[in-house]
């Protein structure tokens, strides 16, 4: 894959960043309802040597703290200071949701359904627009970190469309335990970047309002492997090749709750199960009812719902049904 090496001054959000410079630029948009300003730092690190520009983002959903933690660690360990090229980090895009401990914007909008946004639209739409018009034109590759929503815990995985060779090559470099082929959702950040010809790797791992070390490490290792691939990772950072090749999932299904009740999963996320294996139990609170949730097919469990209480029809397990041969 050919990515143009840039060494010229970077003019971004009204600030100039020269090769070899580090700058923190503010993405400030609106104030809080208390008139307090909200700081949305964009951390830019440029090497003297020319090279690609990679953008790491998290917190499009304000409740996906594990993604924020991954980008935070990239910054705090100095992994974002490249040997060549430029690394831009935005640890929290939806700062309003993050402050409110909420997935959405204060008006209930999901930022990841607002792209490419509009200049004078809703607040979420404006944030999307500013990101797309002021940041994305400067970058060659985006890695966007997410987690499962609510109690649904995702095994570390990349989401991409099957047909794109460039993304498949990058996913191989990243080396997440799983790659789940999924279509781009209309008005998502991923879809807009695709339309703009900017490759985006979407990482999913863990669940909302939760930090998991193995998820964090998978996200960081992937970032390091990508940086290394482009000659951007400084020599003090080491990263091994993945111990196992990623498992590529072409089709998958959600196993849903047949009954409402108290739910306990008995399989680990990421594990392989056989058809009819017991995956967990649904019980009533009174010790009278006990239903075994069984696998409909052999496959990998890529998401486990960790909610203790479920309703009939709730998604319990995300299971692969077809792997890439
Ligand atoms: Zn998300």
């Amino acid at each position: 894959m050919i990515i143009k090496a840039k060494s010229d001054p970077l003019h971004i959000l009204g600030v100039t960043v020269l090769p070899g410079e580090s700058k923190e630029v503010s993405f400030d948009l609106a104030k809080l309802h208390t008139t307090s300003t909200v700081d949305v730092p964009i951390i830019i690190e440029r090497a003297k040597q020319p090279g690609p520009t990679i953008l790491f983002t998290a917190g499009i959903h304000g409740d996906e703290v594990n993604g924020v933690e991954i980008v935070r660690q990239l910054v705090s360990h100095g992994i974002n200071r490249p040997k060549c090229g430029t690394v831009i980090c935005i640890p929290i895009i939806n700062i309003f949701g993050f402050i409110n401990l909420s997935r959405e914007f204060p008006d209930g909008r999901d930022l990841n359904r607002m792209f490419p946004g509009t200049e004078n639209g809703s607040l979420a739409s404006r944030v999307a627009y500013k990101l797309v018009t002021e940041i994305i034109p400067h970058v060659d590759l985006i890695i966007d970190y997410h987690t499962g929503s609510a109690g649904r815990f995702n095994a570390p995985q990349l989401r991409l469309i099957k047909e794109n060779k460039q993304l498949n090559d990058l996913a191989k470099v990243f080396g997440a335990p799983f790659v789940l082929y999924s279509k781009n959702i209309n008005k998502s950040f991923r879809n807009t970047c695709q339309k703009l010809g900017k490759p985006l790797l979407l990482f999913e791992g863990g669940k909302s309002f939760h930090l998991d070390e193995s998820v964090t490490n998978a996200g960081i290792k992937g970032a390091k492997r990508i940086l290394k691939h482009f000659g951007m990772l400084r020599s003090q950072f080491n990263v091994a090749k993945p111990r196992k090749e990623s498992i590529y999932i072409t089709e998958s299904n959600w196993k849903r709750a047949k009954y409402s009740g108290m739910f306990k999963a008995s399989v680990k996320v990421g594990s392989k199960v056989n058809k009819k294996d017991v995956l967990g139990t649904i019980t009533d609170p009174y010790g009278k009812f006990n239903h075994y949730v069984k696998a409909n097919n052999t496959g990998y469990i890529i998401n486990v719902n960790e909610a203790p209480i479920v309703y009939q029809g709730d998604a319990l397990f995300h299971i692969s049904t077809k792997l890439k041969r």
Side-chain angles (χ1 to χ4, degrees):
M1 133 185 212
I2 302 157
I3 277 177
K4 209 178 81 199
K6 297 186 193 85
S7 61
D8 38 301
L10 172 66
H11 302 291
I12 192 163
L13 293 164
V15 175
T16 300
V17 194
L18 297 170
E21 279 189 339
S22 308
K23 272 198 184 154
E24 207 177 287
V25 184
S26 189
F27 188 68
D28 299 347
L29 215 107
K31 288 184 178 178
L32 289 182
H33 47 293
T34 53
T35 72
S36 302
T37 50
V38 193
D39 202 19
V40 185
I42 297 182
I43 302 139
I44 304 169
E45 295 283 351
R46 299 199 73 192
K48 284 202 171 115
Q49 293 292 328
T53 301
I54 299 184
L55 170 66
F56 294 99
T57 53
I60 272 195
H61 295 125
D63 59 345
E64 299 184 352
V65 188
N66 213 143
V68 177
E69 170 65 6
I70 292 168
V71 181
R72 185 196 75 79
Q73 286 202 24
L74 293 178
V75 176
S76 75
H77 297 324
I79 298 163
N80 66 327
R81 286 203 294 277
K83 200 159 85 177
C84 70
T86 303
V87 172
I88 303 176
C89 290
I90 314 179
I92 312 167
I93 297 178
N94 177 6
I95 193 82
F96 302 97
F98 195 77
I99 289 170
N100 287 337
L101 302 180
S102 147
R103 180 176 180 79
E104 293 91 8
F105 267 66
D107 66 356
R109 281 186 167 89
D110 179 343
L111 175 58
N112 213 16
R113 301 290 179 271
M114 300 306 293
F115 284 88
T118 52
E119 200 175 356
N120 300 310
S122 69
L123 182 56
S125 183
R126 290 174 193 217
V127 169
Y129 182 81
K130 199 167 175 183
L131 183 62
V132 167
T133 54
E134 308 232 16
I135 313 282
I136 299 306
H138 300 291
V139 310
D140 300 301
L141 168 65
I142 303 120
I143 300 179
D144 187 31
Y145 291 98
H146 288 255
T147 78
S149 56
R152 290 184 286 273
F153 194 109
N154 269 319
Q157 59 192 268
L158 289 180
R159 302 256 172 104
L160 45 128
I161 52 168
K162 201 176 173 185
E163 305 77 32
N164 190 311
K165 180 168 185 313
Q166 187 185 33
L167 288 180
N168 273 284
D169 290 348
L170 288 166
K172 201 170 175 186
V173 173
F174 192 100
F178 296 95
V179 172
L180 178 68
Y181 288 119
S182 69
K183 290 203 177 97
N184 285 333
I185 298 167
N186 196 23
K187 292 194 164 184
S188 66
F189 186 33
R190 174 157 73 118
N191 196 36
T192 294
C193 289
Q194 164 94 11
K195 283 184 180 163
L196 294 169
K198 305 281 183 177
L200 180 147
L201 288 180
L202 189 151
F203 176 91
E204 278 278 354
K207 62 177 180 178
S208 69
F209 296 125
H210 187 83
L211 294 177
D212 181 274
E213 214 178 295
S214 70
V215 167
T216 304
N217 289 338
I220 289 171
K221 275 186 190 163
K224 282 180 171 175
R225 290 186 191 117
I226 292 283
L227 291 169
K228 193 176 174 183
H229 175 75
F230 290 109
M232 298 168 76
L233 189 70
R234 285 182 296 146
S235 52
Q236 66 256 52
F237 298 109
N238 248 324
V239 61
K241 280 196 174 147
R243 259 179 293 156
K244 284 194 270 176
E245 267 209 40
S246 307
I247 294 158
Y248 289 78
I249 299 167
T250 53
E251 281 170 35
S252 58
N253 239 326
W254 277 97
K255 174 81 185 173
R256 292 184 177 275
K258 239 184 193 167
Y259 304 96
S260 304
M262 291 168 67
F263 171 63
K264 212 165 18 176
S266 53
V267 288
K268 273 203 173 124
V269 71
S271 62
K272 194 180 179 186
V273 297
N274 292 312
K275 190 177 175 173
K276 292 189 176 163
D277 277 0
V278 172
L279 307 177
T281 50
I282 297 174
T283 57
D284 67 358
Y286 315 111
K288 286 176 183 154
F289 171 78
N290 189 18
H291 167 73
Y292 290 103
V293 182
K294 290 181 181 171
N296 296 345
N297 62 281
T298 296
Y300 289 93
I301 304 282
I302 51 168
N303 186 296
V304 172
N305 190 344
E306 295 186 345
I309 291 165
V310 295
Y311 273 94
Q312 186 184 70
D314 279 2
L316 302 181
F317 301 96
H318 194 182
I319 314 177
S320 69
T321 51
K322 203 173 167 190
L323 304 180
K324 191 169 92 172
R325 298 270 161 232

